[in-house]
């Protein structure tokens, strides 16, 4: 593992344009379960129901009950872990340019990263289905379910549900970053959801070194990643950033 940590740190320091792509595995050590694999959210609830826009529009009350139980309460209790802090330190050092994240927990921003592309939107904000007003999720009283705006329209989270398009600007910017980076850190993603899962392929085609950080191998590992630093994201990122600090002395 040590050699891989040193190799990753060297590639990152030598990078001219470093970008990170993060998934749910980056937030597991903050107490937020992943979607797939052992203890994954989708083992308990059906994503094609509770994470699909059609079912939300049909049964908003039912979906909101699950969103509060499985997401809001968990995110409210979560704090950035060493993976988020490591990425924030890399941006602060002027090494990491952008994070493309699939996560909706806002932990990258909380850790201090400025340039974050929220590919699947965010749970930190809600939008009224009737008048379009936006509000911070933390400012909404959730005693009434589904929560409603003053105009009595239903609040919807600004996450991208299955069945919805990825916001165009996020898509364009992510492709631009993937094409122009020369190092991409791919942290804690099963690389199963498109189009975000193709960003490492785009980066690879652009000549980037793809460094995967994951607790286990993924479809990327064999065909796209240059190498995997296998382990928990928090632990691995802490060690890599410590090594980067030494190289930058
Ligand atoms: N450290 C590093 N990697 C981890 C850790 C950890 N502590 N724990 C789990 N992992 C890895 C798993 O091995 C898996 O590869 O994180 C990945 C989590 O995969 P998913 O749960 O599928 O999360 P993600 O890839 O982000 O899902 C993509 O699917 O349901 C949609 O919109 C949802 O954004 C999500 C998208």
């Amino acid at each position: 593992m040590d050699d891989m940590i040193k190799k990753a740190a060297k590639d990152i320091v030598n990078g001219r344009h470093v970008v990170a792509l993060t998934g749910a595995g980056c937030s597991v050590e903050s107490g937020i379960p992943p979607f797939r694999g052992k203890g994954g959210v989708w083992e308990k609830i059906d994503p094609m129901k509770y994470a699909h826009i059609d079912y939300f529009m049909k049964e908003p009350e039912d979906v909101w009950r699950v969103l509060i139980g499985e997401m809001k309460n968990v995110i409210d209790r979560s704090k950035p872990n060493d993976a988020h802090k490591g990425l924030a330190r890399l941006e602060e050092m002027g090494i990491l340019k952008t994070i493309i994240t699939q996560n909706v927990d806002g932990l990258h921003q909380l850790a201090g990263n400025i340039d974050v592309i929220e590919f699947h939107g965010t749970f930190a904000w809600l939008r009224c289905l009737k008048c379009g007003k936006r509000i911070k999720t933390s400012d909404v009283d959730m005693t009434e379910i589904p929560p409603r705006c003053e105009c009595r329209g239903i609040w919807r989270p600004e996450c991208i549900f299955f069945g919805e398009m990825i916001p165009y600007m996020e898509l364009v910017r992510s492709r631009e970053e993937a094409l122009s980076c020369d190092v991409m850190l791919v942290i804690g993603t099963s690389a199963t959801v498109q189009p975000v899962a193709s960003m490492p392929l785009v980066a690879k085609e652009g000549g980037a070194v793809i460094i995967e950080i994951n607790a286990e191998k993924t479809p990327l590992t064999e065909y796209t990643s240059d190498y995997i630093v296998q382990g928990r994201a928090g632990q691995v990122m802490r060690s890599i950033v410590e090594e980067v600090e030494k190289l930058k002395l």
Side-chain angles (χ1 to χ4, degrees):
M1 159 80 106
D2 271 1
D3 296 352
M4 300 313 287
I5 296 284
K6 287 189 165 53
K7 179 176 170 60
K10 212 156 125 275
D11 283 336
I12 290 167
V13 167
N14 293 337
R16 177 189 37 78
H17 186 137
V18 179
V19 164
L21 169 67
T22 62
C26 195
S27 295
V28 164
E29 287 148 271
S30 297
I32 302 177
F35 292 99
R36 298 171 185 82
K38 210 164 51 303
V41 174
W42 299 153
E43 275 179 352
K44 281 188 288 183
I45 54 174
D46 174 4
M48 286 308 124
K49 209 170 156 193
Y50 291 103
H52 201 289
I53 189 63
D54 294 348
Y55 189 68
F56 179 85
M57 298 307 276
K58 217 165 82 206
E59 300 290 348
E61 182 178 344
D62 191 13
V63 176
W64 260 112
R65 279 197 198 299
V66 168
L67 284 177
I68 290 171
E70 299 296 333
M71 273 183 89
K72 183 174 183 328
N73 295 342
V74 173
I75 291 176
D76 287 353
R77 286 194 301 267
S78 68
K79 288 192 178 30
N81 67 56
D82 284 343
H84 302 105
K85 292 174 191 165
L87 289 169
R89 180 69 186 126
L90 289 179
E91 185 183 75
E92 194 185 25
M93 293 170 81
I95 292 175
L96 179 74
K97 168 111 176 10
T98 307
I99 296 178
I100 303 165
T101 189
Q102 302 170 79
N103 301 339
V104 296
D105 54 37
L107 290 178
H108 288 305
Q109 294 91 328
L110 222 51
N113 280 90
I114 311 290
D115 194 340
V116 180
I117 302 172
E118 293 181 307
F119 205 87
H120 289 157
T122 177
F123 194 74
W125 287 87
L126 308 179
R127 195 171 65 245
C128 174
L129 288 174
K130 199 164 151 208
C131 70
K133 185 177 171 206
R134 294 180 75 232
I135 191 169
K136 281 188 78 56
T137 307
S138 51
D139 291 344
V140 171
D141 167 15
M142 294 284 177
T143 40
E144 183 191 9
I145 302 293
R148 289 180 183 274
C149 169
E150 294 99 66
C151 77
R152 300 306 295 157
I154 291 172
W155 290 117
R156 61 145 297 165
E158 288 206 326
C159 319
I160 309 303
F161 282 87
F162 285 114
E164 291 192 294
M165 302 282 281
I166 299 298
Y168 192 63
M169 278 325 292
E170 275 71 13
L171 190 57
V172 168
R173 264 212 74 205
S174 298
R175 267 190 65 79
E176 273 167 9
E177 289 300 329
L179 271 175
S180 32
C181 73
D182 58 355
V183 175
M184 179 179 272
L185 297 173
V186 182
I187 307 173
T189 182
S190 60
T192 40
V193 171
Q194 293 298 351
V196 64
S198 56
M199 291 302 147
L201 290 171
V202 172
K204 184 97 186 162
E205 277 154 25
V209 174
I210 311 297
I211 305 172
E212 194 174 2
I213 295 167
N214 200 307
E216 54 202 42
K217 291 185 172 31
T218 70
L220 289 177
T221 314
E222 193 172 338
Y223 302 106
T224 310
S225 307
D226 286 80
Y227 54 91
I228 182 168
V229 188
Q230 193 156 345
R232 292 152 58 92
Q235 218 170 342
V236 169
M237 279 308 295
R238 190 178 53 247
S239 308
I240 288 176
V241 174
E242 278 166 10
E243 203 53 40
V244 166
E245 302 266 13
K246 282 185 212 156
L247 293 173
K248 293 294 276 184
L249 279 180

